[in-house]
Each structure stands twice: as structure tokens, then as C-alpha cells.
Amino acid sequence: MPIAVDIDVMLARRKMSVGELAERVGITPANLAVLKNGRAKAVRFTTLAALCEVLDCQPGDLLRWEAAETSETGETADVAGG
């Protein structure tokens, strides 16, 4: 996926558990795990804002764009989720 999620990096820097973050943000640990592991299709701005508030960071500290991989022919690989 071209958007990478670095919540685990911020959790380590803040020495915080997934459970504690989920409780403080107000989402379930399961939903936080989906987001943390890059399986989420979307994230609400309110959730992103809460994550940033609790982790004392900016959205760019949690999300980053990665270029799509290219094949040997130079074509961009299909990364669209269906």
C-alpha cells in the first residue's frame, strides 16, 4: 500500500502499549491493530487528531507515502484495493 502507518514507531518512542493508546484515543484495540498494521482502508480525521493529541505528534509522524513498486518493464504495479 502506498500509505505506510508508523504508529508502532510512535508507540515505542512514547513507551506506550497498544491497549493504553486505544483506551486513551477511544477506539478498540482491534481497530487500532487494523490501522497500525496497514490494513485500514480509511481513517477518520477525528481519530487521526485523537492519535496525534495522545501521542503528542503531527499526522506526518504517523502516516507517510511510499512510491508504488515498478515492474522490470517500468510499469507501475497495480496497488489498487478492490
Side-chain angles (χ1 to χ4, degrees), residues 7-17 20-21 24 51-58 61:
I7 291 175
D8 54 344
V9 173
M10 291 306 295
L11 282 170
R13 287 182 183 166
R14 301 296 186 256
K15 297 181 176 142
M16 188 181 298
S17 71
E20 180 183 353
L21 179 61
R24 291 177 63 182
L51 287 166
C52 289
E53 182 176 351
V54 170
L55 293 170
D56 189 28
C57 66
Q58 295 294 312
D61 296 326

Side-chain angles (χ1 to χ4, degrees), residues 1-2 41 78-82:
M1 174 180 278
K41 301 267 186 214
D78 181 16
V79 294

Side-chain angles (χ1 to χ4, degrees), residues 33-64:
V34 167
L35 180 59
K36 184 172 92 63
N37 295 324
R39 296 188 315 260
K41 301 267 186 214
V43 60
R44 293 177 190 261
F45 282 138
T46 53
T47 302
L48 183 58
L51 287 166
C52 289
E53 182 176 351
V54 170
L55 293 170
D56 189 28
C57 66
Q58 295 294 312
D61 296 326
L62 301 177
L63 304 172
R64 65 186 154 80

